[in-house]
Amino acid sequence: MAVSVRDVAAAAGVAVGTVSNVLNHPDKVAPATVARVQAVIAELGFVRNDAARQLRAGRSRSIGLVVPDAGNPFFADVARGAEARADEGSLAVLLGNSDEDPSREDNYLDLFREQRVNGVLITPASGDVEKLSRLQAAGIPVVLVDHEVPGSAFCSVSVDDVEGGFLAVRHLLQQGRRRIAFVGGPSSIAQVANRLRGARRAVAEEPRATLEVVGMPALTVLHGRAAGEEIAARADVERPDAVFAANDLLAVGLLQALTMLRTVRVPEDIALVGYDDIDFATATVVPLTSVRQPAQLIGRTAVELLLRTISDPDGDYERRVRFRPELVVRRSTTG
């Protein structure tokens, strides 16, 4: 049978309220009494019922985080940054992986609402943000992560993906490449669409350049490998001489296919740029040129913005933080 607060109070010879103060406000209790109560807690093996305490307080000590792909090292780093900042505020991060499925996302949002989280950080699986508006209306603040909705009331932390796409393709053009292929996932993903916009802007500045779009159903290593096999199977004159992949997982798969088939050399025949600059980018057989996003800083800043929203909802501070991407050049484009 579980040990209760009343059991601790009886064994320590104090009131139930004194035990509660020892647990929650020890500064209000005489040091000798704190020591006696803590000794009884240890002796009886008392474990506080946080769920009941949260119900009384109206909020838990947690933050919900929903990402579209927890297996992507970029989002793992975002979560790591969020956890570090939350820990500084004695908060825990509850992680949900939507897998780009709006119904799974809805389930996590419902769960977080039931758990009375302090707020939600989310990279939405779709453009429908009405459910997020309802969450905010219920008193649970929302911060968009690696995403923004222009003209909306949502706080957001993002990266200028249009600029990132432009940097990637401008670099390829500066290397003398003219037949560029963009390998990306579904255009419904805002980040992919914005990176493609940036790529098109760069190509538009070079009259002799062309841009081919190779669409893939998902942003994974396996789909990158499929794209690489398809490109390698083409005749020389039909192949691009450079590829910009919408993320590093696609780029890693492309590189695997091109190097394993041994029919195309990187970067001699095809230069390759990825996006995110995950740790794997430096560990591939040909180190990968990539557009870097400050993943951990994004997660950390999102929590910081959430906490400011909670403590000062009407305060004068920047509610939309946008970082600039950085091109990191390695051997996959320069040999």
Side-chain angles (χ1 to χ4, degrees):
M1 187 173 180
V3 178
S4 70
V5 172
R6 291 184 182 278
D7 296 329
V8 173
V14 299
V16 170
T18 301
V19 177
S20 178
N21 279 333
V22 169
L23 293 171
N24 300 299
H25 307 289
D27 55 303
K28 296 182 177 180
V29 184
T33 303
V34 171
R36 185 164 78 253
V37 171
Q38 289 178 338
V40 171
I41 286 173
E43 179 184 347
L44 298 181
F46 170 76
V47 178
R48 66 191 295 169
N49 187 342
D50 263 358
R53 184 182 63 81
Q54 290 164 13
L55 285 171
R56 290 192 297 270
R59 280 286 180 268
S60 70
R61 293 185 296 125
S62 57
I63 293 170
L65 170 61
V66 184
V67 298
D69 181 4
N72 185 329
F74 168 75
F75 288 110
D77 282 343
V78 168
R80 188 173 291 113
E83 286 177 328
R85 179 60 186 90
D87 185 63
E88 293 171 9
S90 300
L91 296 167
V93 175
L94 307 179
L95 177 63
N97 174 38
S98 72
D99 204 23
E100 296 284 3
D101 182 345
S103 64
R104 287 188 65 178
E105 180 179 275
D106 289 347
N107 289 338
Y108 278 117
L109 294 178
D110 289 342
L111 174 63
F112 291 155
R113 185 170 179 173
E114 292 168 5
Q115 292 294 315
R116 300 170 185 253
V117 297
N118 278 269
V120 169
L121 314 178
I122 184 170
T123 305
S126 71
D128 177 17
V129 294
E130 180 60 32
K131 55 197 170 189
L132 302 181
S133 298
R134 291 195 296 270
L135 204 62
Q136 290 205 141
I140 300 177
V142 174
V143 174
L144 304 180
V145 179
D146 194 36
H147 188 85
E148 61 179 18
V149 179
S152 76
F154 294 111
C155 294
S156 63
V157 181
S158 62
V159 172
D160 188 343
D161 283 315
V162 175
E163 177 68 13
F166 177 81
L167 290 175
V169 174
R170 184 182 65 176
H171 170 67
L172 292 171
L173 295 171
Q174 289 172 340
Q175 302 306 304
R177 311 297 171 140
R178 292 296 178 265
R179 301 189 311 278
I180 316 295
F182 173 80
V183 177
S187 59
S188 58
I189 300 175
Q191 296 90 329
V192 173
N194 286 334
R195 292 165 197 177
L196 177 55
R197 281 177 55 202
R200 284 179 167 143
R201 193 179 89 195
V203 168
E205 295 182 1
E206 171 51 63
R208 295 173 298 161
T210 60
L211 181 68
E212 172 192 3
V213 177
V214 180
M216 302 304 294
L219 303 170
T220 67
V221 172
L222 289 178
H223 288 96
R225 193 179 299 166
E229 291 170 353
E230 188 275 323
I231 288 171
R234 298 182 189 181
D236 291 352
V237 295
E238 295 177 353
R239 284 193 202 117
D241 59 11
V243 174
F244 169 38
N247 76 353
D248 281 348
L249 297 183
L250 283 173
V252 168
L254 278 153
L255 187 58
Q256 286 178 352
L258 296 177
T259 54
M260 286 190 301
L261 292 172
R262 299 180 183 274
T263 55
V264 178
R265 299 169 300 166
V266 176
E268 292 85 354
D269 301 317
I270 296 179
L272 178 61
V273 177
Y275 204 106
D276 290 336
D277 196 35
I278 61 177
D279 288 343
F280 294 155
T282 61
T284 50
V285 63
V286 179
L288 183 65
T289 294
S290 185
V291 178
R292 176 178 293 165
Q293 300 192 86
Q296 291 196 36
L297 182 58
I298 289 171
R300 185 178 187 87
T301 304
V303 173
E304 182 66 38
L305 187 54
L306 180 66
L307 295 177
R308 293 193 69 177
T309 301
I310 293 169
S311 63
D312 188 13
D314 300 317
D316 183 20
Y317 51 88
E318 184 59 52
R319 285 171 166 76
R320 291 180 179 82
V321 179
R322 179 187 286 185
F323 294 107
R324 296 198 65 180
E326 173 191 358
L327 181 72
V328 180
V329 178
R330 299 191 181 93
R331 283 178 49 208
S332 69
T333 57
T334 60

